[in-house]
Structures are given as structure tokens and as C-alpha cells.
Amino acid sequence: MNRLSSLIYHGIHTNGWLADAVYSTAYPFRHAWRRIRNWKARSDNVTAEELYPYRHLGAIACMAIGVTNICNARCVFCAYPRAMDSKDLRGGVMPLPLFKKIVDEWVSLGGSQIDLTHTVGDPLIDPGLLDKVKYAIQEAGIKSLSFTTNGILLNRNDTYRRLIDAGVTAIFISTSGTDKESYEKVYGVKHYEDMLSGVHNLLEYNRSKGEPTSIAIRFRNAQKPSEIIRSQDFIHAIKPYFSTKVRCNFTADFDNWGGMIKKEDVFGNMKLRHASERVDLPCRFLFSFMVRYDGSVRLCGCRFNRSDMDDMVVGNIREHSLIEISKNSKAWEIIKGFYAGRRPDTCLGCSLYNPINRLWLRDKQQSIRDHSNNQAALGIKQRGEAVSTPAVAA
């Protein structure tokens, strides 16, 4: 975010009436835009034959490695508490050796970006998170590492300091408003003070180090934006740290988790997103692979239906490589099935559906070309250095 766009962005997000106006308008606008987007995708009609060469995992993607699917909150807008109560979801934490295997494989494919957020769960639950972060950045050479957290455990063992010092690229804080009662109702736990203190300490320490980490506070708000902006906790603990690398946003609409979240589950300023009309084209989220804590690989890391071991699982990295899994027949049958109107149960009522279009395909093709050119240039440079090294040494 450059300085001018930062000024405009923060101008909206620190002005109560302006933020209210923008986000109240965003709800109908986003619904209308999705209808236009779906119409454009239908008219573009990217065929299965055109898509096939680009179906598999590639270095241009960001690999999601879910270090844990255990959470310490029970958010009303999330499927986690429902899946846990029904015992459909089995929680766990990824072992360090498995994490290293995934990262090493990803880097060998040319990958440089990873996100440690599971479909559900909070990465700070993982007692070995710092060891995983250090391995990925300092040993494997990952260039960009990010994750989303509710911030409740940031203060534990000075985790907020250790994350910044380890070189985490971006941290996304998912929280409710700045009112304790509203927070406890939305997040289902009594950890408001822990969250606020941890976030404030994170922001303060990040600034003291020259802001090496980008931080975004994503309010999953039942309050109006203006109520948050005018609150004392926002004014004193969050607002002073806004910059080109620190920002906040509010939630215009909430996903329905494939129909698991109902209108009666949300309250206040919270609105459920309208389910998208069906277009017989694959969703672009099918190409964002996510590795579960036990090594299971899912096509979509965004949502599940009742369990993360659902019909989106296409293999396990303990048995096959990432590239083999992404190219296997099961993955392609799920993607190709959209053209025939066949969708996995997980996708049937999903309001996050975002169909591919020709612009998406062109961007993917261009990104692949750019990556190939960069790799070729790097190879030429390295060969040149290898040739010149003996002469320099002599």
C-alpha cells in the first residue's frame, strides 16, 4: 500500500460516518458485482481443454499448510463449534517432520509463499509454531509466510515478539469489535482483554522494529464500524499504529459455510452473503491447495462441510508428492465435474463460489511465464557466478 492509497484507506477506516456509509453500501454492491462476475464467467466460457494444462499446483500459488485445526474460540459465524459439537471434526497438530517435508517439497517446486492457516483453527495453538516458522524462513528459504489468528495467545511466552523476530511476513488478526460484551457474544469466549492486549503489544513491538511485518486487523463485527472507530480501545490500542503496513477492515457480509451458518446465527450489524447462482464452471478456489495437519491434501482451503476430511480431499503427502496429488485423476474429476453440473457436497450451497473466467486464466498464464523467465534469469546469473568464482578466488 503506497502513501496516497494508505491515506485514503485510513481516512475511510478512521471516520465513523464514512466507514458506515462505505460498508453499508458494500453489501448490495458486492451482491450486484457477483451477479455481473458470474455473467462474465459464463460468457467467457473457459473450456476444460483450455484449463487442463493449468490444473495442477504451481510455484506461483501460495501453499496453505494447516498446522492445526484446533481453535480456542467459538465464533457464531464459523463452522468450527458446530463441527466439534457434532464430533465430525477431529482436531490435531502437524508434527514438525511432516511440516518440513511439505515445505521442502514446495520449495523444490519453486514455491516461495506459504500460509499457515487451516480451514478452521488458530495457528497459535500449535506449541511448535515458532520452530516451523523459523525452519520455513531461515532454513528452507520461504520468502513470504503469513497466517490468520484471533490474537488470544499473542502474549503467551512473548509470542508477539518472537513472531516478528522470526521474520513473519504478514499477520491477519480476526477479531470482533472493541466492545467486550459484543466480542464475547460473537467469539463465544471470555478473552477480550487477552486479545486486545496481545494485539496492542504486537503493534507496538512491530513499530519499534521498523514495521518488518504487515498487520491487518479484520473486524468480524456485529457493531457498526462507527461504534468501533469511536471506542476508546480502538482509539488508544489500534488507531495510533496505522501506516502503510498496518491497517484494519470491517466485514460487509459473512459466508454461510455451505449452508451451515443460518440467518438466525448472526446478529447486530452482521449480514449473511447471498448464495451465488450456479454457473457450470469450476471455482477458482479449487486451485488453492491446502495440506491438513495429518498430510491430507484438499483442493479448497476456504471451507468444509461438517468436516475437513470431506469430498475435497484428493490425497495425502505421506503417500504421494504434492505435484502427483495435484495432477491425479481425483483432483481433475472434481474440477471437470463443474462443467457437467456436478459439485462436491461441500460446494453445493457455498456462498464463496467464484467461477474462473478468461481474465483469471490469462493472469495464471502470465504469472507462469513470469516465473519461468525469472527462474531462467536466476539460473543464468548463478551459472555466471559459478564460472567467475574461480577467477576471483585466484
Side-chain angles (χ1 to χ4, degrees):
M1 189 183 293
N2 62 40
R3 188 167 296 277
L4 178 58
S5 60
S6 176
L7 286 172
I8 296 171
Y9 186 91
H10 293 315
I12 294 171
H13 291 83
T14 56
N15 183 303
W17 71 265
L18 188 55
D20 283 351
V22 168
Y23 279 89
S24 62
T25 305
Y27 182 72
F29 174 82
R30 283 160 66 102
H31 178 58
W33 170 248
R34 284 189 285 269
R35 292 176 66 90
I36 296 171
R37 177 201 66 193
N38 289 356
W39 169 82
K40 183 67 168 62
R42 189 183 290 109
S43 62
D44 281 353
N45 192 31
V46 175
T47 66
E49 290 73 23
E50 292 176 286
L51 181 63
Y52 186 78
Y54 307 100
R55 72 197 185 284
H56 57 79
L57 188 64
I60 61 168
C62 177
M63 168 62 70
I65 306 175
V67 294
T68 183
N69 63 350
I70 301 171
C71 194
N72 50 0
R74 295 178 59 85
C75 304
V76 298
F77 56 84
C78 179
Y80 178 78
R82 294 159 179 80
M84 288 301 290
D85 291 347
S86 66
K87 303 190 185 309
D88 289 323
L89 183 67
R90 299 187 66 176
V93 175
M94 181 177 288
L96 182 59
L98 177 59
F99 178 82
K100 289 182 177 181
K101 172 179 169 59
I102 298 166
V103 172
D104 290 347
E105 242 186 75
W106 180 227
V107 170
S108 72
L109 291 173
S112 61
Q113 304 176 63
I114 61 174
D115 188 304
L116 304 185
T117 315
H118 203 287
T119 311
V120 294
D122 193 291
L124 299 191
I125 294 285
D126 178 4
L129 178 64
L130 269 298
D131 291 332
K132 293 182 174 81
V133 169
K134 289 175 183 177
Y135 178 80
I137 296 174
Q138 299 170 13
E139 297 187 45
I142 288 294
K143 300 293 188 295
S144 175
L145 185 149
S146 61
F147 62 84
T148 298
T149 174
N150 56 37
I152 292 172
L153 295 177
L154 281 169
N155 279 336
R156 185 180 65 175
N157 300 323
D158 287 340
T159 296
Y160 66 90
R161 290 175 178 265
R162 298 165 70 191
L163 290 170
I164 300 296
D165 292 341
V168 173
T169 311
I171 298 175
F172 302 96
I173 307 293
S174 172
T175 189
S176 186
T178 49
D179 172 76
K180 181 179 178 182
E181 182 180 352
S182 176
Y183 172 89
E184 292 178 355
K185 192 174 180 182
V186 175
Y187 271 63
V189 291
K190 298 181 182 297
H191 290 298
Y192 176 73
E193 289 85 359
D194 296 327
M195 176 279 299
L196 187 65
S197 173
V199 169
H200 177 256
N201 288 337
L202 176 72
L203 295 171
E204 177 66 34
Y205 188 70
N206 190 48
R207 173 177 283 184
S208 75
K209 292 294 183 176
E211 294 189 332
T213 302
S214 295
I215 300 172
I217 301 168
R218 296 170 167 173
F219 288 109
R220 313 307 192 194
N221 48 298
Q223 297 172 276
K224 287 184 177 181
S226 59
E227 294 178 72
I228 296 172
I229 290 170
R230 292 167 186 156
S231 70
Q232 290 302 302
D233 285 344
F234 180 87
I235 291 170
H236 295 297
I238 297 173
K239 181 180 176 181
Y241 300 95
F242 285 164
S243 69
T244 55
K245 296 192 71 175
V246 178
R247 66 190 189 278
C248 81
N249 57 46
F250 305 100
T251 303
D253 53 19
F254 289 81
D255 173 49
N256 68 0
W257 282 83
M260 289 185 71
I261 308 300
K262 309 294 184 184
K263 187 176 180 179
E264 56 268 24
D265 294 322
V266 298
F267 60 93
N269 202 54
M270 305 170 83
K271 300 181 182 69
L272 275 189
R273 180 180 303 183
H274 297 287
S276 292
E277 61 179 314
R278 288 179 65 124
V279 180
D280 289 337
L281 288 166
C283 175
R284 61 186 65 190
F285 293 128
L286 293 173
F287 303 89
S288 56
F289 293 77
M290 195 276 289
V291 185
R292 190 174 181 261
Y293 72 86
D294 66 346
S296 299
V297 180
R298 302 181 78 249
L299 281 191
C300 175
C302 299
R303 295 294 181 261
F304 63 67
N305 186 9
R306 296 184 300 277
S307 168
D308 53 3
M309 286 299 292
D310 54 15
D311 48 5
M312 302 299 285
V313 175
V314 292
N316 192 297
I317 195 171
R318 295 179 188 270
E319 301 166 0
H320 301 282
S321 69
L322 286 171
I323 194 67
E324 287 173 337
I325 293 170
S326 71
K327 287 184 174 182
N328 70 22
S329 59
K330 185 173 183 180
W332 178 239
E333 284 303 313
I334 291 174
I335 294 169
K336 187 175 68 172
F338 276 69
Y339 287 101
R342 298 191 308 270
R343 300 190 181 200
D345 289 344
T346 305
C347 305
L348 288 176
C350 182
S351 59
L352 283 182
Y353 173 67
N354 190 353
I356 62 170
N357 57 27
R358 206 151 291 281
L359 177 60
W360 174 86
L361 183 62
R362 284 199 298 266
D363 285 347
K364 195 172 181 69
Q365 293 167 335
Q366 185 61 51
S367 295
I368 291 172
R369 285 194 292 269
D370 290 344
H371 177 75
S372 298
N373 291 337
N374 290 338
Q375 291 297 104
L378 181 62
I380 292 171
K381 180 181 178 182
Q382 289 175 337
R383 287 196 296 275
E385 289 174 347
V387 169
S388 62
T389 298
V392 172

